[in-house]
Amino acid sequence: MMKLFNQLLLLTFTALLAWSCMKEQDMAILNTGAIPNVSLSSQDLVLDKEASQTEALSISWQTDYGFNAAAANTILLDKKGGDFSKAASVTTGSAQEKKFKTAELNSLLIGLGLAPGEASEVDIRVQSKLGAATLLTSEVMTIKVTPYSVKLDLSSPWGIVGSAINDWGKTPDAPLYKTDVANELVAYVTFIDGEIKFRQNNDWAVNLGGKDGKLSDGGDNITVKAGTYKVSFNAVALTYKIEKYSWGLVGSAANDWGKTPDLALTYDPSVDLWTAVVNLIDGEMKFRLNNDWGINYGGANGVLVDNGDNIIVKKGTYLVTADFKNLKYTLSTYAPWGIVGDATATGWGDKPDQKFKYDLSTETWYLNNVVLKAGAIKFRQNDDWGINMGSTAETEPDPIAASGPLKSGGKNFSVTAGTWSFVLDLKDPNNASYTATKSK
């Protein structure tokens, strides 16, 4: 009996000790005024696109909780003076440091709406969450940073002018773009029967002509036939080359395997890709050059393969991109945004909305030089009210500003009569925004 009593006593003592330790842990008290103390590796940054994969900024912090704590940490970045309601956020878990590569930081800053090439101030703070109820927030730190444009700059001062392309300058010359080859420029153009020359800055002060692939200053006009071409030009070597060149989509999903011309792709120099918005039916397709099977690509899962398998597609409208250098493609459902309202020429849906175009380099939608009368507008997707964006104001109409937030199903904007241009940033539907510019 005594042995049993001693065992029971030992068990009771052990349980009391465990309970005492647990209560001591439960009673851990958070230090008064405990917040993350943040350090930045730099407070003045000019981001370099050429160093996109190098470290640009390190943010670290320490928090004296008063006990060992497993906090969930988040870094918030916002424009100077913002309230962090639309901040870019980066979670780090229990880690108390984040090293940003240049490209990653630049993407966050462009997403905040900072202008490329311009120095701007950005507020940074860190939040540490303990359990479900405790949120510790650091003081705001401010850095000055200059992001870079994500658009490729393949522009050059050279262009193509002539009766075959722009009626000898009645419209801007067809631009020639930089390539991976030094001094070699390229243009992808459609000619009519006629003549061309090469000139700088849409001006005749410097112009080149010639024949048989050779150029000279002020040389003869170059005769061309109607068609779609790749024009290669070298102002140093004084050479040129004109060759038939067009990429398109062929297949049962596109044109009944060539019964009609292939669905044409166009070159986008801002991303160095070939793109198209196309209507496809259930079936298969491939990419091919010059409406001919001599060079064709198939594949799957975004990878192009020379003479590869047919690509299976479902009926729909798609944004297609193709990178024939790195042999990649994308096929994304395309539902265009439009402007609707009594200020527009199409009214409140009486006719199809005036459509925005998609900018692949910035992942934004833009509509330039649309003529509006005084009235109200909203933005909606695919000529349908199922998805629409308006003002965050409580009452309407809300006068449109130079920029501002958008709200799903929000109130109407009011505009004055004139010529307007708009950009919609809808990458994050919960933080959508617009810019508006009136030119007349």
Side-chain angles (χ1 to χ4, degrees), residues 2-21:
M2 182 59 70
K3 183 177 181 180
L4 177 61
F5 174 78
N6 288 337
Q7 288 176 335
L8 289 172
L9 184 63
L10 179 61
L11 288 171
T12 301
F13 176 76
T14 303
L16 286 171
L17 181 61
W19 178 83
S20 175
C21 292

Side-chain angles (χ1 to χ4, degrees), residues 284-337:
E284 299 175 327
M285 69 168 208
K286 298 188 80 172
F287 297 86
R288 66 175 183 173
L289 184 66
N290 295 335
N291 289 269
D292 186 85
W293 288 109
I295 298 177
N296 73 89
Y297 290 96
N301 302 320
V303 177
L304 291 173
V305 177
D306 185 14
N307 203 33
D309 293 337
N310 299 340
I311 301 167
I312 299 172
V313 296
K314 295 291 186 181
K315 181 179 180 180
T317 302
Y318 294 92
L319 171 63
V320 180
T321 73
D323 180 349
F324 297 110
K325 294 179 182 177
N326 298 302
L327 297 182
K328 297 179 180 179
Y329 75 92
T330 65
L331 194 64
S332 308
T333 300
Y334 185 83
W337 282 82

Side-chain angles (χ1 to χ4, degrees), residues 339-354 380 385:
I339 186 171
V340 63
D342 58 21
T344 74
T346 57
W348 288 108
D350 304 325
K351 300 177 182 178
D353 302 345
Q354 291 171 274
R380 65 177 185 171
W385 286 108

Side-chain angles (χ1 to χ4, degrees), residues 253-426:
N255 65 345
D256 196 14
W257 294 111
K259 293 289 181 64
T260 59
D262 296 353
L263 304 185
L265 280 70
T266 58
Y267 178 69
D268 184 342
S270 70
V271 286
D272 196 19
L273 298 174
W274 288 82
T275 74
V277 173
V278 294
N279 293 312
L280 301 175
I281 61 175
D282 289 343
E284 299 175 327
M285 69 168 208
K286 298 188 80 172
F287 297 86
R288 66 175 183 173
L289 184 66
N290 295 335
N291 289 269
D292 186 85
W293 288 109
I295 298 177
N296 73 89
Y297 290 96
N301 302 320
V303 177
L304 291 173
V305 177
D306 185 14
N307 203 33
D309 293 337
N310 299 340
I311 301 167
I312 299 172
V313 296
K314 295 291 186 181
K315 181 179 180 180
T317 302
Y318 294 92
L319 171 63
V320 180
T321 73
D323 180 349
F324 297 110
K325 294 179 182 177
N326 298 302
L327 297 182
K328 297 179 180 179
Y329 75 92
T330 65
L331 194 64
S332 308
T333 300
Y334 185 83
W337 282 82
I339 186 171
V340 63
D342 58 21
T344 74
T346 57
W348 288 108
D350 304 325
K351 300 177 182 178
D353 302 345
Q354 291 171 274
K355 300 297 190 298
F356 284 72
K357 293 183 179 180
Y358 188 65
D359 187 332
L360 279 164
S361 64
T362 60
E363 298 181 351
T364 57
W365 295 86
Y366 66 94
L367 176 62
N368 292 333
N369 301 320
V370 57
V371 177
L372 301 177
K373 55 188 176 182
I377 61 167
K378 289 189 79 173
F379 308 107
R380 65 177 185 171
Q381 191 178 48
N382 232 21
D383 296 312
D384 187 87
W385 286 108
I387 301 178
N388 70 88
M389 290 283 183
S391 167
T392 58
E394 295 298 323
T395 59
E396 62 182 353
D398 179 28
I400 201 158
S403 64
L406 290 169
K407 180 181 179 181
S408 178
K411 303 296 184 181
N412 295 341
F413 288 106
S414 64
V415 296
T416 56
T419 301
W420 291 82
S421 295
F422 300 94
V423 176
L424 307 181
D425 186 342
L426 307 172

Side-chain angles (χ1 to χ4, degrees), residues 1 49 56 64 86 90 103 172 175 181 196 201 207 222 230 232 256 293 298 315 324 346 357 413 416 427 434:
M1 177 67 76
K49 189 174 184 178
D64 184 8
K86 293 181 172 60
V90 179
V181 180
I196 63 166
N201 300 316
N207 73 90
I222 302 166
K230 175 183 178 180
S232 302
D256 196 14
W293 288 109
K315 181 179 180 180
F324 297 110
T346 57
K357 293 183 179 180
F413 288 106
T416 56
K427 291 188 288 292
Y434 73 90

